[in-house]
Every structure is written in C-alpha cells, then in structure tokens.
C-alpha cells in the first residue's frame, strides 16, 4: 500500500479486516465436515462406494464458502492518509476508490449484533458527485477508524 503514496503523504489509519466476519461460513464448513465424516464412517457394505463419494463431496464442498470468505477478507484494504482515503477490494474483479479528503461527504458506520460482540462493522464512504458510495465490511474497531477518518478530514480542511 505504501508504494502509491504521494510525496509528503503519511498514513493516518489503516483498517484491519476481521476474519470473524467469515464465522458463519466456518460453522457451515464444520457442519459439512461432520456430515462428510459420518457418511464415510457409517457407510454400509451395500452402498459403501456411494456413501464414501458423498462424504468426500461434503468434505470438499464444505470448505469452498469458507475459503472464499477468507480470500475476500485478505484482499481488502482501506487506509486514510493526511490527503485522501484509498481502498481496494476484489480478487478477480479489482475495484479501487481514491477520494481526496475534502471530497468525502459522509462516512457512516453499521454494526450488526455479531459485530458488537466481536468488535467489527461496516463503513460506508461517499464522496462528492458519487451518490452510491463505497462500503467496506468486517472492519475491526470500525468506530475508531471512522473517528480517525473524521479527524483527518477536519485537519485537511
């Protein structure tokens, strides 16, 4: 991330993305693993091959959503510098947002019940001329990140 900084630009805040955002996918994966193991262990001689194949399918398919969730978490980045907000997300389709601080209109935070328990949430940043804005999910301590963003905006203007 440091290679895109301009001269005299310093990072003020860096969002850390919580792996706990993938917790529901982990539960799904564990359930699939248990089902897959049960198919393979309790396979009877009559349909042993079918049961083992089903067990392997559950084992393999169960991991896919969890792996995708982890890749999504690891492929996101969001920083605030003394001049701008920069974020990127996506693996195959790469998206980036680069807003000068005085062009940031709003930064709103949304925290789910699970986010309150595990201390993560989402931030939605919209800039001048962009009615849609950009959302970043699963940020650890999202309230503190928003406060640092607001402080940077105040000191920039």
């Amino acid at each position: 991330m440091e290679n895109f900084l301009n001269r005299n630009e310093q990072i003020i805040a860096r969002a850390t993305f919580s792996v706990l955002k993938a917790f529901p996918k982990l539960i799904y994966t564990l359930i699939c693993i248990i089902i897959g193991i049960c198919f393979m262990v309790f396979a009877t001689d009559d349909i042993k091959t079918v049961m083992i194949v089903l067990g392997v399918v559950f084992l393999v398919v169960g991991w896919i959503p969890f792996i995708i969730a982890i890749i999504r978490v690891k492929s996101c980045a969001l920083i605030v510098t003394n001049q701008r907000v920069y974020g990127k997300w996506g693996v195959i389709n790469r998206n980036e947002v680069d807003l000068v601080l005085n062009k940031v209109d709003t930064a709103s935070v949304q925290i789910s019940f699970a986010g309150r328990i595990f201390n993560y949430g989402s931030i939605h940043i919209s800039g001048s001329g962009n009615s849609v804005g950009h959302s970043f999910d699963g940020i650890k301590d999202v309230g503190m990140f928003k406060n640092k963003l607001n402080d940077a905006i105040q000191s920039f203007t």
Side-chain angles (χ1 to χ4, degrees), residues 53-131:
V53 169
L54 279 174
V56 170
V57 167
F58 268 97
L59 288 174
V60 172
V61 171
W63 280 101
I64 293 171
F66 182 68
I67 291 170
I68 290 171
I70 295 297
I71 290 171
R72 283 186 179 157
V73 167
K74 296 297 182 186
S75 69
C76 292
L78 180 62
I79 65 167
V80 176
T81 70
N82 58 341
Q83 298 175 12
R84 59 190 167 147
V85 178
Y86 176 78
K88 62 182 180 176
W89 65 98
V91 176
I92 297 172
N93 295 328
R94 192 64 155 166
N95 299 298
E96 294 186 13
V97 60
D98 193 353
L99 292 169
V100 178
L101 288 176
N102 63 354
K103 298 293 183 185
V104 175
D105 285 339
T106 60
S108 59
V109 168
Q110 182 179 15
I111 303 173
S112 66
F113 178 71
R116 285 193 178 279
I117 294 170
F118 297 116
N119 194 25
Y120 70 86
S122 301
I123 190 164
H124 184 80
I125 301 170
S126 61
S128 300
N130 186 355
S131 61

Side-chain angles (χ1 to χ4, degrees), residues 3-70:
N3 58 352
F4 82 95
L5 295 177
N6 296 327
R7 195 167 31 155
N8 299 327
E9 191 173 16
Q10 300 152 358
I11 295 175
I12 294 172
R14 182 186 310 259
T16 306
F17 291 86
S18 175
V19 179
L20 292 174
K21 179 80 172 139
F23 187 71
K25 305 287 195 256
L26 177 62
I27 298 297
Y28 170 80
T29 299
L30 292 175
I31 290 170
C32 285
I33 289 171
I34 291 168
I35 292 171
I37 290 171
C38 286
F39 270 122
M40 293 179 357
V41 169
F42 298 116
T44 60
D45 290 335
D46 299 342
I47 52 172
K48 189 170 191 160
T49 306
V50 174
M51 297 288 276
I52 290 174
V53 169
L54 279 174
V56 170
V57 167
F58 268 97
L59 288 174
V60 172
V61 171
W63 280 101
I64 293 171
F66 182 68
I67 291 170
I68 290 171
I70 295 297

